[in-house]
Amino acid sequence: MMSSVPAERIIQYLSEAQSDDHEIQERALRALASLTKVNPQNRNLVAHTQEAIPGFLTLSKSPSSIIQILSLAILFNLSLNTDLKQPLADMKTISHLNSIIASPDTSPESGRLASSLLCSLAMLDKNKAKFGVAGTIQLLVNTISGPRCHAASSHHLLTSLAELVHFHGNSTLAVRSGAVPALMRVVTERTDGAEDLAGTALAVLCLLAKFDEGLNALRRSEGIVDSMVVVLKGRCMLSKEGAAEILIRLFDESEGCMRDALRMPEFTSVLADLSVRGSVKAREKASVLMKKMMELADLDGSCDHADASPLVLCPVGIYQFC
């Protein structure tokens, strides 16, 4: 780990960062970005130097892309110190981060850093409600839904949204802002190489489903069971875990969803495959789903249900249709 530097040098770099000479300014910001990247003591020294944080916020509005990027990088580095998350997350800073994310003129790197800083600040529970008040939830949902949102930036936006919706009030705002259909589009319209992105979207949906608003919105989604089965047939294990978790929550609340799954000839074979070749979490979730399907089959009686065949437990522990 890089050792801490004297306060005098920090003050010198901060002074040079305000220089009218672009080269001096950029060199000073690069030095500060490097000093604050790995050393918590340096972060504290910088943060507690008078007017340092307001100075970086001002510089992050610079028309120069490199100055903006370096300033945001320093602010992100500072946010890694837990004791700095709360003072950094004032409403002015949050509003500024919102504007960077929303602006069509923002460079991909600045957008990534703004989203990363937002996510870092949201990790402190005391900060979560501030983002809800500042309109960040609606902004993230709208940006994820928008035509300018590419895979490179979507991951950071989704991660930020995931952190924020742990707070019930933010989850409600997200659902009312259309988060469920927006996230379902990410899941169902994924392209080659973007399955990890679908996995992150499913992780957010799982968080929303912990609250009634989110779960009800998922239940109302057209073809929700079919969509989750398609995910279970994919390659991304994170996506499979998320889809299985969502099906468990849906089955707990809706017998209709369970019957929709039971009518699908491929559903049990997909679960069987997941129970054998899935991750530990995926195998556990597949087992829960199989148990729920067996309970429904038992309720219906042996082959009484016109649209479904009963499930049986084979010697190897895999449930199949008769």
Side-chain angles (χ1 to χ4, degrees):
M1 179 181 291
M2 183 183 295
S3 60
S4 57
V5 299
E8 293 78 9
R9 191 185 301 180
I10 296 288
I11 293 172
Q12 178 187 344
Y13 286 141
L14 288 170
S15 176
E16 291 174 353
Q18 302 299 325
S19 172
D20 292 331
D21 188 311
H22 184 84
E23 289 187 8
I24 293 175
Q25 186 181 49
E26 181 181 335
R27 187 167 60 245
L29 289 171
R30 286 189 183 279
L32 288 167
S34 178
L35 289 171
T36 56
K37 186 173 183 179
V38 295
N39 191 290
Q41 289 78 23
N42 287 342
R43 294 174 200 144
N44 277 324
L45 276 173
V46 171
H48 292 112
T49 300
Q50 189 173 9
E51 295 302 309
I53 291 175
F56 294 132
L57 284 171
T58 299
L59 290 171
S60 68
K61 302 173 186 178
S62 170
S64 166
S65 177
I66 187 59
I67 296 301
Q68 183 181 68
I69 288 169
L70 288 170
S71 301
L72 287 170
I74 293 167
L75 288 168
F76 172 74
N77 292 344
L78 298 182
S79 75
L80 298 177
N81 280 23
T82 303
D83 62 328
L84 296 179
K85 291 184 188 293
Q86 190 167 2
L88 278 168
D90 59 27
M91 294 303 288
K92 184 181 295 186
T93 301
I94 292 172
S95 177
H96 178 48
L97 293 177
N98 287 352
S99 68
I100 292 175
I101 293 170
S103 174
D105 299 323
T106 297
S107 70
E109 182 64 9
S110 290
R112 180 188 70 80
L113 284 166
S115 297
S116 298
L117 175 53
L118 188 157
C119 184
S120 177
L121 296 177
M123 288 179 181
L124 185 68
D125 287 344
K126 291 180 179 179
N127 287 341
K128 286 179 168 59
K130 294 181 181 179
F131 287 99
V133 173
T136 305
I137 310 300
Q138 295 92 326
L139 170 65
L140 291 174
V141 172
N142 291 340
T143 306
I144 291 166
S145 306
R148 295 191 303 108
C149 193
H150 304 293
S153 58
S154 292
H155 174 73
H156 298 282
L157 296 171
L158 288 168
T159 303
S160 298
L161 185 60
E163 191 60 50
L164 286 167
V165 298
H166 279 93
F167 177 60
H168 190 181
N170 288 343
S171 178
T172 300
L173 285 172
V175 172
R176 292 177 180 176
S177 300
V180 171
L183 293 166
M184 286 299 298
R185 278 195 294 274
V186 175
V187 172
T188 58
E189 297 176 5
R190 65 190 186 280
T191 56
D192 290 341
E195 279 202 273
D196 286 346
L197 192 63
T200 307
L202 282 160
V204 181
L205 286 169
C206 286
L207 292 169
L208 294 176
K210 289 183 177 181
F211 304 109
D212 288 343
E213 302 95 338
L215 186 57
N216 289 335
L218 276 168
R219 286 174 57 188
R220 291 192 298 268
S221 297
E222 185 176 354
I224 181 64
V225 175
D226 287 347
S227 296
M228 293 303 103
V229 173
V230 170
V231 173
L232 290 178
K233 292 161 62 178
R235 294 175 297 176
C236 176
M237 194 54 63
L238 177 62
S239 293
K240 292 183 178 186
E241 291 173 4
E245 177 65 27
I246 287 172
L247 286 173
I248 289 171
R249 294 187 181 278
L250 289 172
F251 288 3
D252 282 341
E253 296 296 323
S254 171
E255 186 178 301
C257 287
M258 208 181 323
R259 292 192 183 281
D260 288 343
L262 195 59
R263 293 187 185 101
M264 302 174 66
E266 61 189 334
F267 183 63
T268 309
S269 61
V270 170
L271 284 186
D273 180 73
L274 190 62
S275 70
V276 173
R277 298 196 295 175
S279 64
V280 173
K281 287 183 178 180
R283 293 198 301 270
E284 290 174 350
K285 294 178 192 300
S287 176
V288 172
L289 288 168
M290 288 176 176
K291 182 178 179 181
K292 290 181 181 298
M293 301 295 280
M294 281 291 289
E295 290 171 350
L296 179 61
D298 288 343
L299 281 175
D300 289 343
S302 297
C303 299
D304 282 344
H305 195 273
D307 296 315
S309 300
L311 294 167
V312 297
L313 180 60
C314 298
V316 294
I318 299 175
Y319 294 101
Q320 296 178 320
F321 283 116
C322 291

